[in-house]
Amino acid sequence: MPKLPNKMTAIAIKSPGGPEMLVPEERPVPAPGPSELLVRVKAAGVNRPDVMQRKGQYPPPPGAPDIPGLEIAGEVIAVGGKVSRWRVGDKVCALVAGGGYAEYCLADEATALPVPKGFSFVEAAALPETFMTVWHNVFERGGLKAGETLLVHGGSSGIGTTAIMLAKAFGARVIVTAGSPEKGSACMKLGADLAVDYNKEDFVAATKQATGGRGADLILDMVGGDYVDRNYEAAAVDGRVVQIATQKGTKVTVDLRRLMLKRLTHTGSTLRARPVADKGAIARALEAKVWPLLTAGKIKPVIDSTFPLAKAADAHARMETSAHIGKIMLEVNG
Amino acid sequence: MPKLPNKMTAIAIKSPGGPEMLVPEERPVPAPGPSELLVRVKAAGVNRPDVMQRKGQYPPPPGAPDIPGLEIAGEVIAVGGKVSRWRVGDKVCALVAGGGYAEYCLADEATALPVPKGFSFVEAAALPETFMTVWHNVFERGGLKAGETLLVHGGSSGIGTTAIMLAKAFGARVIVTAGSPEKGSACMKLGADLAVDYNKEDFVAATKQATGGRGADLILDMVGGDYVDRNYEAAAVDGRVVQIATQKGTKVTVDLRRLMLKRLTHTGSTLRARPVADKGAIARALEAKVWPLLTAGKIKPVIDSTFPLAKAADAHARMETSAHIGKIMLEVNG
């Protein structure tokens, strides 16, 4: 095994606060455990939970690095003793427990996936968090089927753009909500059948109208707050509502009469808190069902913007404007 | 076909109000449609929705009779032209759209089931509403599996006692809540593993303690109100909460963080509003999976009390005391 570096640059959170709290620091290069890969990071994705972690609202789970960053792509430069699939030199992208904003990062071998053929590291690093989240919540948990109608809130976000592309690829109809005509038209270009500008239109009425009064079979929601009861209203009989975040509030009031009369199913999940075995199972399903679409060039993640690692603060500032369409990325070791 | 009677006695709701509003009236005997059976009613079950209907809070769905009563047992005395399975003289029990509190009642052939061998008509009439509700919500919708823990609120009700017996018969562990030591001990006699007196104990703490901190895999709830958020607390990771009524209120506040972090599924249903095809499918599943347990004498519905049809008001008064354990029944043509 070649000699590994001892030190690296990582982006630390100086103390809870604004984007300026993200500062480069020298840290020791972590050593892989038995089932882990040490990856020389070439790109990392920026996600909402990173912003919440920076603000001190989302502490990393026990055992996770304090450095933010939940997804990376790069080259394997060392492997633990029990790693069976990956070798030094492999190009991988991976969901990680934290620590992605750094020159080197550990990933469990179960949550790593090959960089799809023809993908840059930036494109590959845009995949793990959103594709695993969408796959699990829309298809595994939400059971979306061809011919059904999916309503996606935040259609122009990383999650939203991924949900549009995957749902269309698997034969569903897609309605999105988006906060501006530009965002709406970006969603339509990706294949959405209808974009509802939530500043101008009531998504419940728009969804009912677009479905001949039936409502949406599945709703992917990261908004929470008053959206939840409205989701119940916008859902079809036997509809499912899958909650993946609660940007407008976690304590919500709902009318159970609707839940019972329409036989709705309200469920949800977070990815980070799950055991590695669960994440690995999602990664393998994704590799089997979605990687072929990526390597065939049928789907590409939408990249909003790319910042150098040292400018992670600017990347967070961009995310907090909510002006972005698609993924915000960091380039590392460029 | 023998000559059918023209007139019958039925229990009408004079106007919305107390039990005394239930009065015997002469009504025409209904004529069966193509897929319907005309049943000479020998017994009918009394259910909570009947009480709500009497109070004017639960109007019968369009096309349903105004006479209350959702389940009956008796003898088939006429059949519609498209009825294939049943013949005049058959002894059946059936879920009906209404009209059960009467000497004659129509039932769709799909929602009829044979009176199980060795069952009285009163026992058979106690089956359709609660057994279909429990089968669908606990097994089909809630997916209860052997080895899992079911928490049932209102353990001593008709639904509750049925849920205890069926869950135990299929290998689950059962925790119930009940409002008195007598009710708790009745649940224990039916096989419940733990009865929590909700007037003295917090069911969340009791459920956690009884499951080594895990919580319940499935919760069958007819309470609603503040129970819903407490159900989320009492549920295990990957737990399901199935809502079948909301006696304490339909508008509830829940914490979505719990839903997401534990990956809970909150769903529910009502039986009456469903299409006949759905009800028929549940009836056939019940006949295949549960009827053998009934005919083998392994399970018998718990009958709290039986009143003559003319005393339906007394039956409602008893239900409203909530002192009953098991089903309250009406005997007809006795």
Side-chain angles (χ1 to χ4, degrees):
Chain A
M1 211 182 276
K3 217 185 158 207
L4 301 177
N6 293 324
K7 303 277 181 188
M8 67 175 187
T9 300
I11 302 298
I13 298 166
K14 221 170 122 192
S15 58
E20 71 284 358
M21 290 299 161
L22 295 175
V23 289
E25 266 186 17
E26 198 180 75
R27 293 288 183 107
V29 170
S35 70
E36 287 179 320
L37 319 174
L38 179 63
V39 179
R40 183 164 187 260
V41 180
K42 304 293 284 180
V46 175
N47 292 288
R48 285 264 170 211
D50 309 348
V51 173
M52 287 168 62
Q53 182 178 339
R54 193 204 71 216
K55 290 179 174 170
Q57 292 162 2
Y58 188 35
D66 63 321
I67 301 295
L70 299 174
E71 57 185 350
I72 56 163
E75 215 176 291
V76 176
I77 60 160
V79 296
K82 289 192 169 167
V83 169
S84 57
R85 175 172 175 181
W86 309 101
R87 286 158 213 277
V88 170
D90 282 348
K91 291 174 178 179
V92 296
C93 55
L95 186 79
V96 295
Y101 294 12
E103 292 182 302
Y104 299 90
C105 181
L106 297 177
D108 193 283
E109 75 157 331
T111 64
L113 288 149
V115 170
K117 213 172 146 174
F119 270 51
S120 69
F121 282 117
V122 165
E123 288 165 341
L127 298 171
E129 174 74 18
T130 54
F131 275 68
M132 284 177 72
T133 297
V134 169
W135 183 258
H136 176 65
N137 288 290
V138 171
F139 294 92
E140 295 182 339
R141 187 162 288 276
L144 185 68
K145 286 182 271 299
E148 288 193 324
T149 297
L150 170 70
L151 169 63
V152 184
H153 293 301
S156 61
S157 65
I159 294 283
T161 53
T162 305
I164 294 167
M165 293 186 290
L166 286 181
K168 290 307 294 181
F170 287 94
R173 204 169 157 226
V174 180
I175 302 173
V176 301
T177 60
S180 74
E182 294 70 37
K183 288 181 173 182
S185 99
C187 294
M188 298 296 283
K189 272 185 204 143
L190 288 172
D193 298 280
L194 175 68
V196 180
D197 185 337
Y198 57 75
N199 291 313
K200 292 185 184 150
E201 268 183 281
D202 172 28
F203 73 78
V204 175
T207 302
K208 294 261 179 170
Q209 201 190 357
T211 54
R214 273 192 78 241
D217 301 293
L218 178 63
I219 302 177
L220 183 66
D221 185 41
M222 60 286 281
V223 180
D226 69 330
Y227 268 42
V228 178
D229 206 41
R230 292 165 72 197
N231 287 337
Y232 284 15
E233 225 183 317
V237 167
D238 290 318
R240 293 86 69 197
V241 179
V242 183
Q243 203 72 45
I244 56 169
T246 55
Q247 289 170 28
K248 276 181 91 173
T250 167
K251 296 216 169 175
V252 305
T253 301
V254 295
D255 187 344
L256 295 178
R257 208 161 12 185
R258 268 193 204 112
L259 183 96
M260 292 189 294
L261 281 171
K262 290 195 194 169
R263 302 185 294 278
L264 304 180
T265 296
H266 190 185
T267 183
S269 71
T270 63
L271 190 52
R272 195 175 192 184
R274 303 187 74 156
V276 157
D278 288 11
K279 294 172 181 169
I282 300 169
R284 295 294 77 77
L286 206 52
E287 192 172 0
K289 309 277 188 177
V290 176
W291 251 233
L293 299 173
L294 300 174
T295 54
K298 292 194 178 152
I299 289 179
K300 267 216 164 192
V302 179
I303 309 291
D304 173 77
S305 47
T306 305
F307 297 82
L309 178 64
K311 300 275 189 191
D314 293 350
H316 273 219
R318 170 125 187 107
M319 180 160 274
E320 287 180 273
T321 64
S322 284
H324 60 290
I325 291 172
K327 295 282 295 182
I328 300 172
M329 305 300 299
L330 300 175
E331 224 168 347
V332 193
N333 294 315
Chain B
M1 211 180 275
K3 216 183 157 206
L4 300 178
N6 293 324
K7 303 278 183 188
M8 66 176 186
T9 300
I11 301 298
I13 299 166
K14 220 170 122 188
S15 60
E20 72 284 359
M21 291 298 161
L22 295 176
V23 289
E25 266 185 17
E26 197 181 75
R27 292 286 184 108
V29 171
S35 70
E36 287 178 322
L37 318 175
L38 178 63
V39 178
R40 181 162 189 260
V41 180
K42 303 293 284 181
V46 175
N47 291 286
R48 284 263 171 214
D50 308 347
V51 173
M52 290 168 60
Q53 182 178 337
R54 192 202 71 217
K55 290 180 176 170
Q57 294 162 2
Y58 188 36
D66 65 320
I67 300 295
L70 300 172
E71 57 185 350
I72 56 162
E75 213 175 292
V76 177
I77 61 160
V79 297
K82 288 190 170 168
V83 168
S84 58
R85 175 173 174 180
W86 309 102
R87 285 160 214 276
V88 170
D90 281 348
K91 292 175 178 179
V92 297
C93 55
L95 187 79
V96 295
Y101 294 13
E103 291 182 302
Y104 298 91
C105 181
L106 297 176
D108 194 282
E109 76 158 328
T111 64
L113 286 150
V115 170
K117 212 173 147 176
F119 270 52
S120 69
F121 282 117
V122 166
E123 288 165 342
L127 298 170
E129 174 75 19
T130 54
F131 275 67
M132 286 178 71
T133 297
V134 169
W135 182 257
H136 175 66
N137 288 289
V138 171
F139 294 92
E140 294 181 340
R141 186 161 289 275
L144 185 68
K145 285 182 271 299
E148 288 193 324
T149 298
L150 170 69
L151 169 62
V152 184
H153 293 302
S156 60
S157 66
I159 295 285
T161 52
T162 304
I164 295 168
M165 291 185 290
L166 285 181
K168 291 305 296 180
F170 286 94
R173 204 170 158 224
V174 180
I175 301 173
V176 301
T177 59
S180 73
E182 294 69 39
K183 288 180 173 181
S185 99
C187 295
M188 298 296 283
K189 272 187 203 143
L190 288 172
D193 297 281
L194 176 68
V196 180
D197 185 338
Y198 57 74
N199 291 311
K200 292 188 183 148
E201 270 184 280
D202 172 27
F203 74 78
V204 175
T207 302
K208 294 262 179 169
Q209 200 191 356
T211 54
R214 274 191 80 239
D217 300 293
L218 178 62
I219 301 177
L220 183 65
D221 185 41
M222 60 286 282
V223 180
D226 70 329
Y227 268 42
V228 177
D229 206 43
R230 291 165 72 198
N231 286 338
Y232 284 16
E233 224 183 316
V237 167
D238 290 316
R240 293 88 69 197
V241 178
V242 183
Q243 203 73 45
I244 54 169
T246 53
Q247 289 171 26
K248 276 180 90 175
T250 168
K251 296 217 169 176
V252 304
T253 302
V254 295
D255 187 345
L256 295 177
R257 207 162 11 183
R258 267 193 204 112
L259 183 96
M260 291 189 294
L261 282 172
K262 290 195 195 171
R263 302 186 293 280
L264 304 180
T265 296
H266 189 184
T267 183
S269 71
T270 63
L271 190 52
R272 195 176 193 183
R274 304 187 75 156
V276 157
D278 289 12
K279 293 173 182 170
I282 300 170
R284 294 293 78 75
L286 205 53
E287 192 172 357
K289 308 277 188 176
V290 176
W291 250 233
L293 299 173
L294 300 174
T295 54
K298 291 193 178 153
I299 289 179
K300 270 222 159 180
V302 178
I303 310 293
D304 172 77
S305 46
T306 305
F307 297 82
L309 178 64
K311 300 275 188 191
D314 293 350
H316 274 219
R318 168 125 188 109
M319 180 163 273
E320 288 180 271
T321 63
S322 284
H324 61 290
I325 292 172
K327 297 281 293 184
I328 299 172
M329 306 300 298
L330 299 175
E331 225 167 346
V332 193
N333 293 315

